[in-house]
Amino acid sequence: MNIEATAVNQNKRSLLILILGLLSAIGPFSIDTYLSGFPSIAADLKVTVEDVSYSLSSFFIGISVGQLIYGPLLDRFGRKTPLTIGLVIYFFASIGCAVATSIEMLIALRFLQALGGCVGMVAPRAIVRDSFPIQESVKIFSTLILILGVSPIIAPTVGSYMISAWGWHSVFWLQGVIGLLLLLAVVFVLAESKKPDASVSLLPKHIIPSFVNIFTNPQFFTYAVAGSMVAGGVYAYLSGSPFVFMKIFKVTEQQYGWIFGLLAGGLILSSQLNNLLLRRYYSEQIIKTALLIQTTLGLILCTLSFFNWLNLYNSISLIFLFLCCQGFSFPNSSALSLAPFSKEAGRASALLGALQMGLASLAAALVSVLSNGTSLPMTGVMAGCALTGLTIFGVGRWIIRSKNKQALSS
């Protein structure tokens, strides 16, 4: 009987992690499926590829703003109700993107799509914090990355073939169907992990100070901002890679999809190796090493671009390793930044996600603004983000150690 009960609990746990992983993937999937369609969208809407990239920036902005909205709602009304509302918005916005007839319409609807879909990114982090002990949450985040990592492998390939066969509109119809399926899973399968809390105020005069308190917590600031800066480098790659690979290196839409999937494999591989490293090393040690390596790789990429020595093969190799580092830094920085919070897990998760996507949108927009017909804007922003993340981590860790010494001596 105990064995059967254990099996049932394990099945429920696995199902929970699967649903959370799929919800977390909704944002990346909404990005990856249409990246190879940038040239097709530009031709159809009679704009440039750089203009189309602003629909990616608007998506990042929508995710950043939306997560700050959902954070207090998740703490006030529980996890399921905000999830349901967000997925409904995502569904209708996806259908709107599918029938968009101008770049302005697409940019606006992508913002709305992100505003709805981002609840699938902030809620899972809060649910993990609700459902699992702190020590185990790092491993859960690594497992979520495994599911999350399937999206960059499958989505670009599926998207490229769909675009070739049925046009770029088809990927947004697909996103609408997936949004509907996730909505049904949340309503009928996902259990509530936190009851509504009427004591949580939704007034700005209470919400804003709570966000300030979370942000100024030394542990949250150090790991959230450092991890978000590194994420900005990854999204600089996402924004710049369609131009670099398809325009500069002349790969086809299908080839780009395969390359994108191969590079994403580095993120999946490293996120699972992270679980093995956690048996011997602390999360802080893993993050430090990953940031050092990632900064070095970013500077090498930038140098090769500056001297025009970057080609298809060395760019694939270096970006693969760059993304591997993200698989080590993301789960550890996420778990450590949320560790000090329990009642405010929704708001802390929202602020973490807003920082990640806010810096991602800035990095993506910066790649577009600096566009000069070379790979240097992409690689330069990647290197700058990694170096800034490493600096913030180093300074933050010094501040945390200083405060801990003061606390022990007092």
Side-chain angles (χ1 to χ4, degrees):
M1 186 66 180
N2 289 335
I3 295 177
E4 292 178 357
T6 301
V8 170
N9 290 335
Q10 184 61 39
N11 289 336
K12 288 183 178 180
R13 171 193 165 101
S14 299
L15 181 60
L16 171 62
I17 294 173
L18 175 62
I19 293 175
L20 296 181
L22 293 175
L23 286 169
S24 299
I26 194 171
F29 186 84
S30 300
I31 296 168
D32 302 337
T33 46
Y34 97 125
L35 285 177
S36 62
F38 274 28
S40 299
I41 297 173
D44 189 28
L45 301 182
K46 297 179 175 57
V47 295
T48 66
V49 172
E50 287 76 14
D51 290 330
V52 177
S53 69
Y54 285 111
S55 67
L56 184 61
S57 298
S58 72
F59 190 88
F60 291 151
I61 295 171
I63 287 179
S64 302
V65 173
Q67 290 189 84
L68 291 176
I69 295 173
Y70 286 117
L73 295 178
L74 288 164
D75 288 335
R76 171 64 179 83
F77 298 106
R79 313 310 189 197
K80 288 191 65 169
T81 299
L83 263 172
T84 302
I85 295 172
L87 289 172
V88 169
I89 296 172
Y90 175 85
F91 169 74
F92 284 108
S94 298
I95 303 305
C97 289
V99 298
T101 55
S102 69
I103 189 61
E104 292 82 10
M105 183 178 178
L106 181 63
I107 290 172
L109 284 167
R110 285 286 285 173
F111 174 82
L112 187 60
Q113 186 188 36
L115 205 61
C118 70
V119 71
M121 302 177 70
V122 61
R125 287 191 294 263
I127 293 173
V128 169
R129 181 65 182 83
D130 296 336
S131 308
F132 301 98
I134 298 299
Q135 295 297 325
E136 192 176 359
S137 63
V138 176
K139 297 180 180 179
I140 301 300
F141 280 123
S142 293
T143 304
L144 292 183
I145 287 182
L146 174 61
I147 302 172
L148 190 63
V150 174
S151 172
I153 290 179
I154 296 177
T157 304
V158 171
S160 63
Y161 279 103
M162 289 184 69
I163 290 167
S164 298
W166 301 298
W168 62 269
H169 305 83
S170 61
V171 299
F172 292 110
W173 288 110
L174 175 63
Q175 290 172 19
V177 170
I178 291 174
L180 180 60
L181 293 175
L182 285 174
L183 175 61
L184 294 174
V186 167
V187 172
F188 296 107
V189 180
L190 187 67
E192 180 62 85
S193 65
K194 180 182 181 297
K195 294 180 180 180
D197 187 351
S199 67
V200 176
S201 174
L202 297 180
L203 296 175
K205 67 178 182 180
H206 294 138
I207 292 175
I208 294 174
S210 70
F211 276 130
V212 172
N213 289 335
I214 293 169
F215 184 74
T216 54
N217 180 286
Q219 180 160 331
F220 179 88
F221 181 88
T222 298
Y223 295 111
V225 178
S228 297
M229 285 303 309
V230 175
V234 174
Y235 280 90
Y237 150 72
L238 289 177
S239 178
S241 61
F243 178 83
V244 171
F245 285 112
M246 289 191 283
K247 292 295 185 180
I248 296 179
F249 298 142
K250 306 298 182 184
V251 304
T252 66
E253 291 176 349
Q254 289 80 8
Q255 289 171 333
Y256 173 78
W258 287 108
I259 291 170
F260 196 96
L262 172 66
L263 294 176
L267 182 61
I268 296 176
L269 176 64
S270 58
S271 67
Q272 300 316 296
L273 288 176
N274 182 62
N275 283 338
L276 297 178
L277 291 178
L278 284 169
R279 298 175 183 177
R280 298 188 60 183
Y281 303 100
Y282 294 112
S283 291
E284 293 87 347
Q285 295 172 297
I286 296 174
I287 295 173
K288 179 180 178 180
T289 303
L291 289 177
L292 283 169
I293 296 174
Q294 198 164 24
T295 301
T296 302
L297 292 168
L299 293 174
I300 293 173
L301 275 166
C302 187
T303 302
L304 293 177
S305 294
F306 182 80
F307 289 105
N308 200 29
W309 294 338
L310 195 68
N311 57 48
L312 177 62
Y313 301 104
N314 59 29
S315 63
I316 290 175
S317 301
L318 291 169
I319 293 173
F320 177 87
L321 296 173
F322 188 94
L323 294 181
C324 281
C325 294
Q326 180 70 3
F328 292 115
S329 61
F330 175 80
N332 290 289
S333 63
S334 296
L336 289 173
S337 61
L338 296 179
F341 309 100
S342 177
K343 182 179 179 180
E344 297 176 313
R347 278 161 287 180
S349 175
L351 187 56
L352 172 61
L355 285 170
Q356 290 173 343
M357 291 298 104
L359 290 172
S361 65
L362 289 176
L366 191 58
V367 172
S368 298
V369 170
L370 297 177
S371 177
N372 61 357
T374 73
S375 59
L376 188 58
M378 181 187 78
T379 57
V381 175
M382 290 171 67
C385 287
L387 180 59
T388 305
L390 177 62
T391 303
I392 291 171
F393 174 81
V395 173
R397 284 296 304 158
W398 179 80
I399 293 173
I400 292 172
R401 286 195 297 267
S402 298
K403 286 184 175 293
N404 289 339
K405 288 181 180 178
Q406 292 175 1
L408 290 173
S409 61
S410 61

